[in-house]
């Protein structure tokens, strides 16, 4: 059980940032991952009063506050329409509705968990994170940075996505995924992620132009083969490395064909 000595309900992000510089303090979002630890910490910093629980749509981006829950992502009509249902698909298998009513986007991306469906999705879509101290950082860079004591304010999803599809494999519904995949056409170029390898999601850009003439059987097979041969997979009690490797090609194909069909996942 997690125990803490102080509870800070902050009124400004600056206050949250200052408190978070003390090693003993930790930001508490949905408190679903944090509470798994069995230790006593100094204080928890609650961001609930900062208005970070909104999904805002501007002309050129979606700005998703760090305290937006996975359920809000799942139920957002604007995101569903823009992403062909991919955002909904990425979170709907995570534990259950009550859980998704608490788990946040900020907690999910800050943690950069290997199993993360949320990271798999946003990384493929070319998202950025807005950090209070550092400013805006490409998620593709953030994913490899060490966990630090900055405050994640929001996820910015530039409106450059022209198609996307989310796919995953789970041994049983609501379990952690065995493998995750999101393919997207961003700013005219195809890119995709493979996550739960079981390591953190990795991004594959179509740098050699395998899909430059569009999605057809040959180009899909070639890109799926590229992903399958380059992805680094591992084994755990959910699946073996070789199975994951093979399925990375399968999910890539499925996702690309779903984009071609243009329908919901
Ligand atoms: C049993 C279980 C099953 C799960 N299954 C899945 C799954 O299948 N797929 C999936 O994608 N995810 C899964 N998750 C992860 C879950 O969806 C959330 O990502 C996770 O709980 C963290 O979100 P939270 O809001 O609970 O964050 P918390 O637990 O409150 O915080 C997590 C970490 O992030 C830090 N943090 C939180 N918010 C911020 C911020 N704004 N700025 C800086 N640091 C911050 C905290 O200090 C802490 O270190 C699972 C989690 C659990 C406990």
């Amino acid at each position: 059980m997690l125990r803490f000595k102080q509870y800070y309900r902050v009124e400004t992000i600056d206050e949250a940032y200052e408190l978070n510089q003390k090693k003993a303090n930790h930001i508490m979002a949905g408190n679903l991952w944090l509470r798994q630890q069995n230790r006593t910490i100094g204080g928890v910093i609650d961001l609930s009063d900062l208005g970070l629980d909104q999904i805002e749509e501007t002309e050129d981006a979606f700005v998703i506050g760090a305290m937006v829950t996975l359920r809000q992502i799942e139920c957002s009509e604007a995101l569903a329409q823009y992403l062909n249902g991919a955002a909904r698909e990425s979170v709907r298998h995570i534990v259950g509705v009550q859980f998704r009513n608490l788990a946040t986007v900020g907690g999910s991306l800050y943690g950069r968990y290997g199993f993360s469906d949320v990271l798999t999705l946003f990384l493929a879509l070319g998202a950025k994170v807005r950090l209070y101290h550092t400013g805006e950082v490409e998620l593709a860079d953030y994913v490899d940075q060490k966990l630090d004591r900055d405050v994640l304010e929001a996820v910015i999803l530039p409106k450059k996505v022209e198609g996307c599809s989310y796919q995953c494999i789970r041994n049983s519904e609501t379990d952690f995924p065995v493998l995750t995949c999101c393919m997207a056409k961003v700013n005219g170029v195809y890119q995709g992620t493979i996550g739960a390898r079981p390591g953190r999601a990795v991004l594959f850009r179509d740098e050699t132009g395998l899909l430059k003439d569009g999605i057809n059987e040959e180009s899909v097979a070639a890109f799926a083969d590229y992903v399958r041969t380059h992805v680094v997979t591992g084994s755990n009690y959910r699946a073996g490395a070789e199975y994951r490797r093979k399925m990375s090609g399968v999910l890539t194909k499925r996702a690309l064909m779903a984009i071609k069909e243009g329908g919901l996942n």
Side-chain angles (χ1 to χ4, degrees), residues 47-48 50-55 64-69 72 153:
L47 310 179
S48 297
L50 302 182
L52 300 177
D53 58 350
Q54 302 296 317
I55 301 175
I64 302 168
M67 293 295 280
V68 164
T69 65
Q72 282 174 271
E153 283 184 56

Side-chain angles (χ1 to χ4, degrees), residues 20 26-37 47 52 66-67 70 90-91 93-95 99 102-111 113 115-119 131 142 147-153 170 174-177:
N20 203 34
H26 294 268
I27 290 175
M28 184 180 71
N31 191 24
L32 294 161
W33 193 254
L34 204 58
R35 73 197 296 182
Q36 306 289 324
Q37 307 169 37
L47 310 179
L52 300 177
M67 293 295 280
L70 302 190
S90 73
V91 295
H93 307 277
I94 302 176
V95 187
F99 183 96
L102 293 171
T104 64
V105 171
S108 297
L109 292 184
Y110 173 82
Y113 309 109
F115 54 76
S116 182
D117 292 280
V118 182
L119 180 61
L131 304 164
Y142 186 64
L147 303 190
D148 66 11
R149 306 197 74 82
D150 210 340
V151 182
L152 201 158
E153 283 184 56
R170 282 172 151 81
T174 78
D175 189 10
F176 287 101

Side-chain angles (χ1 to χ4, degrees), residues 78-103:
L79 283 179
Q81 207 173 355
Y82 180 60
L83 299 173
N84 270 353
R88 179 176 291 168
E89 180 61 22
S90 73
V91 295
R92 77 179 173 91
H93 307 277
I94 302 176
V95 187
V97 171
Q98 287 164 316
F99 183 96
R100 298 196 293 277
N101 271 329
L102 293 171

